[in-house]
Amino acid sequence: MNIRIKDSAPKRIMIVNRGEIASRVAKACRELGHTAIGLWTDNEPNAAHLEFCDEWVHLEGASNAETYLNIEKILEIAKEFKVDGVHPGYGFLSENGSFAKRLTDEGITFIGPHPEAIRVMGDKATSKALARDAGVPVVPGTAEAVPTVEEALKVANEIGYPILLKAVAGGGGRGMRACLNDQDVKNNFDAVVRESSAAFGNGDLLVEKLIVNPHHIEVQIMADKNGNVFHFFERECSIQRRHQKIVEEAPSPFIGDDEELRKNICETAVKLAKAVDYDSAGTVEFIMGEDKNFYFLEMNTRIQVEHPITEEITGVDLIICMIQSAFGEDLQIPSQEWIRKTGHAIECRICAEDPITMLPAPGSVTGFETNFPQGVRFDHCLYRGLNVTPDFDPMVGKLVSKGLVRDVAVRKMRAALDGVYIEGLKNNIPLHKVIMDDPVFKEGQYTTNFIKEVAPQDKISTDMDLDSIYLKLAAAEARNMGM
Amino acid sequence: MRSYLIDSENNEFIIDLTKTIKHSSELVEFEFSSIQESQNIDSKRVFIRKLAGNYYCSFDNVAWRKLARQHVPSKVLNVDKVYNLYRGFKPSGLSSGASGDLLTQMPGKVVKLNIKVGDEVAAGDVVLILEAMKMENEIKTSVSGTVKAIHVEEGQALDSGVLMIEIE
């Protein structure tokens, strides 16, 4: 079948984000013939993402509240610059339903799902209720907040230990605590209420079953405004620190060649997306136990950090699909059968953090260079002189490798990590190298407890590498000599 | 030239550049030594070659790898530690120990003396300014006390390791 595609009318698209995702979206805008409008703030005048933006607008202010989270000011700029659409990237306002609604009310397209989908999926309780109604399995537990410790104990004994006390409004691993028995629940209940009240302004707690040796597996969804919902297979994101992903791969090595399970989890995700009339890029996250039963966790109603690995195995540009979908255009995907996966892709998140403690380490990049094996993708915002401030997330890049089989992707990633030279800024590349060399990782049978149990961070050698110091000094001397 | 690598916990590494040979406009050879307690603990030859605008480095002039281009590095990273790099001098105020003797860490010229014998000084006070590498370096005392003796005068050129001031 020879399918011809239609070009869309040029639009003006403002990117309300920074860092590598802003670059990524700007590139997609360029490819489609749209004008990419980038923003820069007072604390980041050298914003590297502007490189791919056609127009640069100063978003005054330094704090995130004054800038990338400032709905009023962003609306003002959008109107002033006659913007047709706004892409929110991830983080910041990407999952803010009222921002999407305000834009829509002004006749500006929000490049993301409709506000109602954001609202429903943004709340753990309502999203679970919807999943239950749609026949999507959810982790056994309470649908409503448990008001008292007595109530929590009752539920815990009904569903059986171990259980998890979890903030209704929580996220990113904060506001949750595992309990193995009644005593744990009694000890932790008040603490989690306090923690979540302080962090999220909402102290309501849920009780749910704790899945043992879990795998974090998620399905990429893309939908248009005509009710077509496609899945792009799954990703496994079980390697996490502080409940935040650091290594992701597609497809999941745990699902492996169990095609029936793969089909089942992907179709379940499609079913859920259809239940909210989903109309953009989204990710349905599941937790899968060692028995391969899976349960719905949450749906992220935005593009995700780890989308490149899905793009690598399917060959589809998800950001472009997202833009086309938002303007009511055809996704240029004739049917689900056209979406096929080949090979295996791995992503390592390169973060400005201590490789051993994994705590953020802001600082300046004094030198940056890459020297990659063939076929490596690096979405990043690094440059010599970059100052990583404590204001933003410590992630500075995403290194992506691909191979026809998993072992090749791992080998390529290991070589790629050797080819990233970041000077002056602490980063987690030494950790990624140890993970790629780890036998448990190589087997592909790791769980979300990998960082805790296998503890690759403990295997990082911190001995002074005099040889590399000599090389750096030599380069400085050579430069001084005018070479 | 001597380089000092000092991290936030005052861990210190000293590396001397002991030899420089310019083979051609594209190839230079250096010899570095690592110093610990005045002892040479490690020596290595390094070759630097410029190729297509990038620096490549080698220990044997046979096997080469790329180097990240950077200006004279002010910081050096080693896995989980960032070291401040001081080329040619060790900054004042970082010397460990509580000895009141101030020695020059590098050859230089006394630009200004802020104290005279008998003055009371507090730890962290700038007692003298030493010019070296075309830079003025503030020399601070790490102890509080009375200035017992001054062995230098303004304008005097000093070698490395010279006793300048004694504080009691």
Side-chain angles (χ1 to χ4, degrees):
Chain A
M1 187 167 25
N2 188 15
I3 292 183
R4 305 299 305 274
I5 61 167
K6 227 171 48 207
D7 288 342
S8 57
K11 310 270 187 335
R12 294 174 57 76
I13 295 174
M14 184 162 87
I15 302 156
V16 183
N17 216 303
R18 58 172 292 282
E20 66 84 22
I21 191 63
S23 302
R24 173 72 188 85
V25 175
K27 283 186 212 172
C29 292
R30 270 201 186 166
E31 181 182 332
L32 290 170
H34 300 323
T35 302
I37 302 166
L39 301 174
W40 62 277
T41 58
D42 290 345
N43 56 344
E44 206 182 21
N46 298 320
H49 63 260
L50 296 177
E51 183 182 357
F52 299 100
C53 295
D54 303 300
E55 293 180 21
W56 304 354
V57 178
H58 183 193
L59 180 56
E60 281 171 49
S63 74
N64 291 339
E66 290 174 299
T67 57
Y68 294 110
L69 294 173
N70 189 337
I71 295 180
E72 299 306 324
K73 200 181 274 178
I74 289 162
L75 279 169
E76 230 170 78
I77 294 174
K79 281 187 272 183
E80 186 188 341
F81 286 84
K82 300 193 165 43
V83 161
D84 298 304
V86 165
H87 197 299
Y90 49 68
F92 295 130
L93 294 172
S94 60
E95 290 178 286
N96 186 314
S98 60
F99 177 58
K101 177 96 179 37
R102 292 283 300 276
L103 282 172
T104 313
D105 291 348
E106 296 284 349
I108 298 165
T109 302
F110 176 75
I111 303 176
H114 60 87
E116 183 59 11
I118 302 177
R119 192 190 64 77
V120 171
M121 288 305 176
D123 184 289
K124 282 201 167 63
T126 56
S127 66
K128 270 196 169 171
L130 182 116
R132 275 199 192 93
D133 293 347
V136 172
V138 298
V139 180
T142 52
E144 303 289 326
V146 283
T148 62
V149 66
E150 289 75 24
E151 183 76 10
L153 285 167
K154 190 169 147 265
V155 177
N157 283 293
E158 272 168 30
I159 60 176
Y161 285 102
I163 61 108
L164 202 60
L165 287 177
K166 201 171 165 187
V168 171
R174 290 192 304 169
M176 53 172 80
R177 206 73 64 88
C179 301
L180 304 178
N181 49 46
D182 285 357
Q183 195 54 46
D184 280 358
V185 174
K186 285 178 198 156
N187 291 348
N188 286 317
F189 192 85
D190 289 338
V192 183
V193 169
R194 270 198 310 275
E195 232 175 68
S196 41
S197 305
F200 317 109
N202 180 348
D204 290 349
L205 296 193
L206 301 175
V207 175
E208 64 177 40
K209 192 161 181 65
L210 180 69
I211 309 297
V212 182
N213 288 334
H215 293 257
H216 177 115
I217 294 174
E218 57 187 33
V219 177
Q220 176 69 51
I221 293 295
M222 178 63 68
D224 64 16
K225 293 208 185 295
N226 301 317
N228 296 308
V229 181
F230 304 106
H231 73 77
F232 290 72
F233 304 99
E234 84 286 0
R235 297 185 284 257
E236 175 149 1
C237 316
S238 298
I239 298 193
Q240 308 182 347
R241 49 116 174 83
R242 297 192 298 277
H243 293 269
Q244 287 176 332
K245 305 156 189 169
I246 49 173
V247 177
E248 299 100 341
E249 47 185 321
S252 157
F254 184 63
I255 292 181
D257 50 14
D258 190 343
E259 291 303 330
E260 201 176 321
L261 178 62
R262 175 165 292 120
K263 189 162 180 266
N264 190 359
I265 196 169
C266 291
E267 285 178 356
T268 304
V270 169
K271 188 158 74 179
L272 182 76
K274 282 188 170 160
V276 275
D277 299 320
Y278 205 70
D279 60 348
S280 185
T283 300
V284 184
E285 297 191 338
F286 296 96
I287 187 167
M288 190 181 278
E290 43 194 4
D291 55 2
K292 300 207 170 175
N293 283 325
F294 59 87
Y295 308 96
F296 168 69
L297 278 184
E298 60 175 4
M299 181 167 184
N300 291 316
T301 53
R302 55 173 160 87
I303 194 71
Q304 272 188 299
V305 172
E306 61 271 28
H307 75 274
I309 51 175
T310 298
E311 294 183 329
E312 291 303 311
I313 62 161
T314 60
V316 180
D317 188 319
L318 294 170
I319 305 281
I320 282 185
C321 286
M322 215 179 158
I323 296 170
Q324 289 170 326
S325 159
F327 290 107
E329 292 165 10
D330 190 60
L331 295 183
Q332 295 148 0
I333 301 169
S335 72
Q336 179 70 53
E337 285 64 44
W338 279 69
I339 305 163
R340 295 194 191 110
K341 64 176 177 63
T342 43
H344 195 98
I346 298 177
E347 173 183 276
C348 288
R349 296 193 188 188
I350 311 300
C351 302
E353 64 185 29
D354 188 292
I356 296 163
T357 63
M358 295 176 228
L359 295 171
S364 293
V365 178
T366 57
F368 169 64
E369 204 81 41
T370 60
N371 197 356
F372 286 143
Q374 187 62 43
V376 165
R377 169 173 172 179
F378 193 29
D379 290 10
H380 68 89
C381 60
L382 286 159
Y383 59 92
R384 189 173 71 201
L386 169 71
N387 186 20
V388 177
T389 67
D391 306 330
F392 305 119
D393 190 274
M395 194 185 80
V396 291
K398 310 184 301 199
L399 193 56
V400 179
S401 72
K402 194 197 169 180
L404 198 54
V405 294
R406 184 173 183 267
D407 283 351
V408 173
V410 174
R411 182 184 71 204
K412 208 177 266 288
M413 178 57 81
R414 186 63 184 80
L417 288 164
D418 275 335
V420 187
Y421 309 126
I422 300 172
E423 299 293 345
L425 181 72
K426 270 200 222 180
N427 60 75
N428 61 353
I429 288 175
L431 174 66
H432 284 306
K433 287 180 182 173
V434 176
I435 293 174
M436 291 303 129
D437 289 338
D438 186 89
V440 175
F441 178 78
K442 282 189 164 168
E443 280 302 310
Q445 296 303 310
Y446 55 86
T447 70
T448 53
N449 304 325
F450 180 81
I451 293 291
K452 204 161 59 185
E453 288 172 1
V454 180
Q457 63 274 24
D458 295 345
K459 295 177 196 137
I460 300 171
S461 163
T462 58
D463 293 347
M464 190 61 163
D465 180 4
L466 284 171
D467 281 3
S468 80
I469 305 287
Y470 296 152
L471 298 180
K472 286 164 192 172
L473 290 174
E477 291 298 335
R479 178 176 288 273
N480 277 2
M481 289 168 69
M483 199 167 103
Chain B
M1 171 158 7
R2 179 164 284 195
S3 294
Y4 298 87
L5 279 73
I6 303 169
D7 73 2
S8 57
E9 287 144 22
N10 273 356
N11 294 314
E12 183 181 302
F13 287 86
I14 300 172
I15 293 168
D16 276 349
L17 171 60
T18 47
K19 203 188 282 174
T20 303
I21 305 166
K22 190 168 182 177
H23 292 289
S24 74
S25 62
E26 301 296 316
L27 177 68
V28 283
E29 179 185 341
F30 301 101
E31 190 182 79
F32 288 98
S33 296
S34 219
I35 312 293
Q36 236 167 52
E37 287 160 5
S38 307
Q39 294 295 308
N40 186 345
I41 56 157
D42 183 53
S43 262
K44 211 143 209 178
R45 290 196 304 166
V46 176
F47 296 85
I48 297 287
R49 205 177 150 175
K50 201 173 174 187
L51 195 73
N54 284 310
Y55 286 136
Y56 288 78
C57 56
S58 172
F59 290 116
D60 54 7
N61 203 4
V62 176
W64 295 87
R65 55 160 273 192
K66 202 175 178 182
L67 262 179
R69 219 174 337 169
Q70 52 180 339
H71 297 301
V72 177
S74 57
K75 290 188 186 328
V76 171
L77 179 71
N78 188 63
V79 186
D80 66 337
K81 287 205 163 56
V82 179
Y83 293 85
N84 283 311
L85 174 65
Y86 304 96
R87 295 170 72 250
F89 73 100
K90 183 177 162 183
S92 58
L94 285 172
S95 60
S96 51
S99 162
D101 293 352
L102 277 171
L103 278 73
T104 49
Q105 303 290 343
M106 58 188 300
K109 196 174 90 178
V110 180
V111 177
K112 192 165 182 289
L113 268 169
N114 288 346
I115 45 149
K116 53 186 189 298
V117 175
D119 279 1
E120 294 289 324
V121 292
D125 283 357
V126 177
V127 290
L128 127 179
I129 295 172
L130 193 71
E131 188 196 277
M133 306 280 304
K134 293 176 186 160
M135 270 173 55
E136 291 196 352
N137 301 287
E138 293 182 336
I139 309 296
K140 294 172 184 165
T141 162
S142 56
V143 297
S144 301
T146 313
V147 179
K148 186 181 150 201
I150 300 175
H151 302 287
V152 296
E153 54 191 52
E154 285 181 14
Q156 189 179 349
L158 304 171
D159 268 341
S160 185
V162 171
L163 179 65
M164 298 183 288
I165 293 162
E166 290 173 69
I167 294 164
E168 259 184 349

